[in-house]
Amino acid sequence: MIMRFAISIVLALIVWQFHAVAQDAPQSEPRHDFRYAFSAIDDATFDSDLRPPLPATATMLKDPSVTLLQNQLLLEPSFTLRYHSRWSLASSVVGLADTFHGLSAADFNPPAGYPQVVTSLNAAIEPYTGTRTQFRVKETYAGLSAGDFDFMLGRRIVRWGTGYAFSPAGVLDPPRNPTNPTDRLNLNQGRDMVKVDYVRGPHAFSLVWSTSALAPAGSNLRDTTAFRYNILVHGFDTSLIAGDDRGGDAFGGLTFTRVFGQAWELHGEGAWREHEAILLGAKYTTTTGVSFIGEFYTPPNIPYYRNMSIGPTAGRQHYGLIYASKSRLRELPGWKQWDLSASIVTNLDDRSYTAILDANRRFGNHFSSYLHMEVPQGSKASDYGATPYSAATSVGVRFQL
Amino acid sequence: MSKINCILRTFLLLFVLSFLLACALVCRAATPDAEALLKRSDAYRNGWPSYVLKVKITHYESGKTDEEKLYEVSQKGTEKTYVEFLSPREKGQHLLMLGDDMWVYLPDTSRPVRITPLERLNGDASNGDVARTNYAVDYSAVYLRTEKLGAENCYVLDLTARRKGSTYQRILYWLRIEDARPVRAEFYLTSGKHIKSASFDEYVSVGGTSQLRRWTLYDEIRHNSRSVLEYSGIAPRELPDKLFYQGRTDRF
């Protein structure tokens, strides 16, 4: 009896010890790893005094301009699956439902007895009416990591530029809109490519071949081969870029960023494609957490860099950006969940500009709401003055999982 | 007689020399090696040369839960830290620290963005609190005094930033005498402002080493605000150097 009791105690102690060791043992690396994200955005944009780009039928408009409401509902799931830290598969897509209000045939006075004019008018205003749905593949790619090499095949957003609003050296970047540089609705799509990276110590080499075969119609893309060498030396994060657009230009580029002291960051880009394009920028952070970014950008007036509103004989252009932002206004009671930013993008040659204001408010861990305003100013023939509305105001709600 | 005097004088001389030597040794022993203590205390948050862990930060405002954030941290040596943001609102963001340089990768910009030291202080628990945990590398230490803090007898060290990448300019650091385990800290900016305090609340044994499990950051500006940092999934891991490459956009 006593012997059995003693054996039970010993067995219990042994089990307890194993359990303690198991709890103490660190976790081993998992074989699979899966990450996902989901975002749903409902964005309503009011274009005030919209002058729609209509053909001659615009002379029949009852009022010289209209206020157009565009409501966009976006569903954006994404995932990445990694197997043994070597193989990876990732995808990010956008489902978009676009609804317009505010423009219809009733806004026009077409001449009676000319049905072909009415048909032409309906075709012209059709893009600004009704509901349209789209499915966009932002990224879908497979990757393999082998020693110092990384291989990637598929559609991927790759940004080599360092600028905030402008990026002449971003030869693979999606189109950068200076009034919306962060692509706030995540609508940018990547390019279809094969990419190889080799990282050895401080040196990194990237080789990319991108095809335009599957690019959206009207995207103006060509097959591109590009090479980048990147190194971090004495705090300078520097890249040299070279490549060629099939049927187009060969190009070269240089980028750098560096932090000085506690508060300053400098960045710059230089690109050569027929002529040089230069970007110089700086960021300053105050002790209260306010960030300021200033950029100066000068591109040559060639088709690759030219805005649609700039004529081919206008010569080299010069642009400036000033941007200020503060995340989480903790210093103000009740404003901790708010982020604010404001910026002005200007064409220094024709003195037109667009002022942009963003306010974002968080609700808990999953919801946020925002206000985004753009107000272009300048003559009707100027770069930003040619924008066909007097103000664009967007309000929206975002859910993230 | 003179012979006895000679012997006595020799004895006295030897006794005085021994006494002085003993005093010197005792005094030296009474002043602890601050740098060694600091290095020993870092082992409670950096148990291996290369490791991963998850960090959950719960922010409280006026006693109520205000926000929760989740991170996965990969650390290699004292100079390389990679942080992945896992909270719903921050998914897709990454932070990379290489020595004094730091980049944040934002899905909006789809590229690494260089951030300044002042930008690291954003948040109740700053990026620096999560990414920089090797105080012996970032700070020089001086022993101040011995102090009893609650039930713990502690050495108090004065840490001064010695590199640009240090999150704070100065830290007052309380370490338990018996094992250099962190007990409390006070954080100061370059202006001398006391910005945060910390209490190191809970430790856990992982693979035979005692590791910090939970600590609390108290906001000394907004006194009703605090953040609790909880570590889990702490494990040594072989991490490739290319995980810490600043230009790599192929993140997780």
Side-chain angles (χ1 to χ4, degrees):
Chain A
M1 180 73 174
I2 293 173
M3 188 58 105
R4 283 183 195 163
F5 182 71
I7 290 170
S8 305
I9 295 292
V10 168
L11 284 172
L13 282 171
I14 291 170
V15 168
W16 176 77
Q17 190 62 27
F18 268 119
H19 181 64
V21 168
Q23 278 192 324
D24 182 68
Q27 294 178 5
S28 57
E29 185 173 4
R31 192 183 299 181
H32 305 97
D33 218 339
F34 180 73
R35 298 272 197 266
Y36 72 92
F38 176 76
S39 177
I41 304 171
D42 191 46
D43 179 274
T45 297
F46 301 86
D47 291 330
S48 306
D49 298 326
L50 177 70
R51 303 179 297 278
L54 300 174
T57 47
T59 57
M60 295 174 283
L61 206 62
K62 289 178 186 172
D63 292 313
S65 62
V66 297
T67 295
L68 186 70
L69 167 63
Q70 177 185 14
N71 190 79
Q72 298 180 84
L73 177 63
L74 302 105
L75 303 176
E76 303 170 359
S78 61
F79 78 87
T80 304
L81 174 65
R82 179 155 288 177
Y83 179 74
H84 270 174
S85 298
R86 292 194 67 197
W87 297 93
S88 61
L89 178 66
S91 184
S92 175
V93 299
V94 180
L96 166 65
D98 217 345
T99 305
F100 289 91
H101 300 279
L103 186 67
S104 68
D107 293 311
F108 296 84
N109 277 326
Y114 292 91
Q116 66 275 20
V117 172
V118 174
T119 304
S120 171
L121 170 66
N122 287 336
I125 66 173
E126 196 269 342
Y128 301 96
T129 59
T131 298
R132 237 159 261 103
T133 56
Q134 287 181 54
F135 179 77
R136 296 189 186 191
V137 177
K138 287 165 54 72
E139 297 184 319
T140 295
Y141 60 90
L144 167 65
S145 181
D148 293 334
F149 287 90
D150 285 336
F151 302 91
M152 191 227 81
L153 169 69
R155 178 170 294 186
R156 184 84 162 103
I157 294 177
V158 170
R159 292 187 189 265
W160 284 351
T162 59
Y164 175 74
F166 312 100
S167 184
V171 295
L172 297 168
D173 292 19
R176 186 90 55 106
N177 181 352
T179 61
N180 180 27
T182 59
D183 185 27
R184 60 187 186 85
L185 297 180
N186 300 322
L187 290 173
N188 278 339
Q189 293 175 271
R191 293 187 63 169
D192 305 309
M193 63 177 67
V194 178
K195 184 165 172 279
V196 179
D197 292 302
Y198 174 70
V199 180
R200 184 80 173 171
H203 308 279
F205 304 87
S206 299
L207 180 63
V208 174
W209 178 76
S210 173
T211 176
S212 60
L214 299 175
S219 63
N220 227 20
L221 292 177
R222 297 175 188 267
D223 293 352
T224 302
T225 305
F227 171 80
R228 184 179 81 156
Y229 168 65
N230 176 241
I231 187 169
L232 180 66
V233 178
H234 296 301
F236 281 93
D237 184 2
T238 308
S239 294
L240 295 172
I241 298 166
D244 178 70
D245 282 337
R246 187 177 166 197
D249 304 314
F251 53 81
L254 165 77
T255 72
F256 77 90
T257 65
R258 197 180 195 294
V259 168
F260 294 91
Q262 295 290 314
W264 285 96
E265 181 260 7
L266 295 187
H267 58 270
E269 297 182 26
W272 178 272
R273 190 189 286 263
E274 291 184 43
H275 300 279
E276 73 281 1
I278 306 289
L279 165 75
L280 286 173
K283 177 169 65 177
Y284 175 74
T285 310
T286 69
T287 52
T288 54
V290 181
S291 284
F292 296 93
I293 300 175
E295 289 186 342
F296 171 75
Y297 170 56
T298 174
N301 192 351
I302 58 175
Y304 182 83
Y305 293 111
R306 186 187 302 138
N307 284 349
M308 283 173 54
S309 52
I310 301 291
T313 59
R316 174 176 285 274
Q317 300 296 296
H318 304 81
Y319 294 91
L321 163 85
I322 294 194
Y323 169 87
S325 72
K326 174 81 164 85
S327 295
R328 304 177 77 89
L329 302 172
R330 301 165 180 283
E331 294 77 13
L332 300 174
W335 285 80
K336 186 188 153 193
Q337 303 295 348
W338 288 84
D339 303 328
L340 290 181
S341 70
S343 62
I344 292 181
V345 182
T346 178
N347 183 314
L348 298 169
D349 297 294
D350 61 25
R351 306 222 173 113
S352 64
Y353 64 89
T354 298
I356 303 117
L357 172 71
D358 284 285
N360 187 75
R361 210 271 190 203
R362 282 179 288 275
F363 299 90
N365 288 327
H366 298 281
F367 285 94
S368 61
S369 64
Y370 62 84
L371 167 71
H372 172 82
M373 287 184 65
E374 292 182 23
V375 181
Q377 292 290 316
S379 70
K380 296 286 186 286
S382 65
D383 196 344
Y384 293 107
T387 308
Y389 48 77
S390 63
T393 306
S394 303
V395 293
V397 176
R398 189 190 303 258
F399 169 75
Q400 287 165 287
L401 193 63
Chain B
M1 197 66 166
S2 62
K3 197 175 178 184
I4 293 173
N5 280 341
C6 198
I7 292 169
L8 283 174
R9 277 195 217 111
T10 307
F11 245 134
L12 189 59
L13 187 61
L14 283 173
F15 177 76
V16 168
L17 283 173
S18 303
F19 178 74
L20 288 172
L21 188 62
C23 282
L25 286 171
V26 166
C27 287
R28 192 173 171 188
T31 307
D33 184 342
E35 295 285 351
L37 276 173
L38 186 61
K39 198 168 180 182
R40 205 171 147 204
S41 72
D42 278 346
Y44 289 96
R45 288 194 290 176
N46 301 276
W48 302 272
S50 175
Y51 63 91
V52 296
L53 57 84
K54 280 197 165 67
V55 184
K56 178 179 156 191
I57 301 179
T58 308
H59 180 64
Y60 296 88
E61 198 93 12
S62 302
K64 295 179 198 170
T65 304
D66 182 51
E67 196 174 10
E68 264 184 22
K69 293 188 179 181
L70 195 58
Y71 306 90
E72 184 167 289
V73 179
S74 303
Q75 176 93 28
K76 184 167 185 175
T78 59
E79 299 285 311
K80 297 178 183 178
T81 308
Y82 172 65
V83 180
E84 188 179 351
F85 293 54
L86 300 177
S87 307
R89 241 206 312 275
E90 297 173 323
K91 271 185 189 177
Q93 290 185 36
H94 308 266
L95 187 79
L96 173 69
M97 184 199 77
L98 294 175
D100 291 337
D101 301 305
M102 202 176 265
W103 292 259
V104 64
Y105 177 87
L106 303 171
D108 291 353
T109 58
S110 297
R111 64 175 177 81
V113 174
R114 201 83 178 260
I115 61 176
T116 60
L118 280 176
E119 287 179 283
R120 297 174 199 180
L121 285 175
N122 282 341
D124 304 286
S126 68
N127 293 328
D129 292 318
V130 175
R132 296 194 82 98
T133 57
N134 276 284
Y135 287 171
V137 172
D138 289 347
Y139 300 92
S140 55
V142 169
Y143 167 77
L144 278 185
R145 60 183 182 271
T146 303
E147 187 176 302
K148 192 172 176 76
L149 200 65
E152 310 279 12
N153 289 313
C154 299
Y155 291 126
V156 183
L157 304 186
D158 190 345
L159 310 185
T160 305
R162 57 174 157 202
R163 57 192 297 182
K164 184 177 74 173
S166 307
T167 309
Y168 305 100
Q169 177 60 27
R170 179 176 172 242
I171 301 175
L172 280 180
Y173 207 22
W174 281 256
L175 302 178
R176 202 160 74 169
I177 286 178
E178 62 199 72
D179 53 8
R181 200 167 86 170
V183 177
R184 176 180 161 77
E186 291 178 359
F187 303 96
Y188 296 82
L189 297 178
T190 311
S191 59
K193 187 189 281 189
H194 178 195
I195 188 172
K196 295 181 194 173
S197 297
S199 63
F200 300 89
D201 306 318
E202 188 182 331
Y203 291 81
V204 68
S205 176
V206 179
T209 66
S210 183
Q211 293 293 291
L212 180 66
R213 158 88 175 85
R214 181 166 56 91
W215 60 301
T216 305
L217 278 166
Y218 300 88
D219 191 331
E220 294 294 338
I221 311 274
R222 289 170 294 274
H223 292 280
N224 61 346
S225 176
R226 63 185 169 98
S227 299
V228 177
L229 289 83
E230 294 172 271
Y231 297 156
S232 62
I234 307 167
R237 189 72 48 85
E238 283 296 319
L239 298 169
D241 280 339
K242 62 183 177 182
L243 178 65
F244 305 95
Y245 158 54
Q246 73 283 359
R248 185 181 178 187
T249 55
D250 299 337
R251 291 300 170 184
F252 187 94

